[in-house]
Amino acid sequence: MFCRTLRVLVPRLARGTGSIVSRTRQPNYYGLAFRVLLPRRHDRMMSTPPPHINVSDLPMDRYHALSEATMDSLLESLETLLDELVDSNYEVEYHSGVLTLYLGEKGTYVINKQPPNKQIWLSSPFSGPKRYDYSEADDDWLYSRDSQALGKLLNRELTRALGQPVDLGLKGPASQLQS
């Protein structure tokens, strides 16, 4: 029914606009239908807002120093925490800029550096993926959509997952570089 309606409607539309129908070939009813009647591809609908893209002016060597200080501090804090818990199902690993925290049945965290974007990315079993940019003003890694710090989110989620208060002490990576 839709195609039959198009075959009647399209030639009527095309007659008034000579540019739609080529003189050397038959009109393409389906192509015209997609151009005239259906939404354009770039008019996409999103269930969430489009990602906010931050362009960082942080120099690359400073990014590496801050991200390494953060990852080293995080690794040290997590190793201390897991040693206190003494649970064989929990494990932390750090290789090539990727920190993986295994919490057995509670899930796995992956935290990694993203030098091209000058970000630290977090994949959480509770809150999902997040991308953190460094804020000089706050001296912390912040998620741009809710301005929440990486350390605060990890403290809250790990406290809930492990059933005891957790403080990883991630605030102030720049101050860690100076000492």
Side-chain angles (χ1 to χ4, degrees), residues 51-160:
H52 180 72
I53 299 173
N54 288 336
V55 178
S56 176
D57 58 350
L58 188 66
M60 191 57 81
D61 58 338
R62 179 124 171 100
Y63 162 78
H64 283 296
L66 291 166
S67 61
E68 278 300 321
T70 301
M71 298 297 272
D72 290 341
S73 173
L74 185 57
L75 177 64
E76 186 178 316
S77 297
L78 289 171
E79 285 178 339
T80 302
L81 176 66
L82 296 184
D83 287 343
E84 292 171 2
L85 292 174
V86 191
D87 189 333
S88 62
N89 293 325
Y90 300 163
E91 185 179 346
V92 63
E93 295 177 354
Y94 184 58
H95 298 286
S96 305
V98 179
L99 188 143
T100 308
L101 173 62
Y102 302 100
L103 294 178
E105 294 177 4
K106 295 174 181 153
T108 301
Y109 284 87
V110 179
I111 304 164
N112 61 307
K113 298 174 8 175
Q114 285 294 319
N117 302 3
K118 299 177 186 169
Q119 295 176 327
I120 291 180
W121 288 8
L122 166 72
S123 175
S124 163
F126 300 105
S127 60
K130 294 184 185 285
R131 299 175 179 189
Y132 290 87
D133 296 289
Y134 182 73
S135 168
E136 292 277 353
D138 297 316
D139 189 21
D140 213 344
W141 294 93
L142 302 178
Y143 182 52
S144 63
R145 291 195 180 184
D146 63 6
S147 298
Q148 187 171 25
L150 173 64
K152 286 184 180 179
L153 178 78
L154 287 172
N155 289 341
R156 188 179 71 241
E157 288 188 4
L158 291 175
T159 295
R160 189 178 80 196

Side-chain angles (χ1 to χ4, degrees), residues 28-54:
N28 181 350
Y29 298 114
Y30 300 105
L32 184 62
F34 285 111
R35 286 192 306 253
V36 174
L37 301 174
L38 300 176
R40 285 177 275 163
R41 197 177 273 175
H42 65 274
D43 293 340
R44 66 184 198 174
M45 303 299 285
M46 293 186 197
S47 60
T48 61
H52 180 72
I53 299 173
N54 288 336

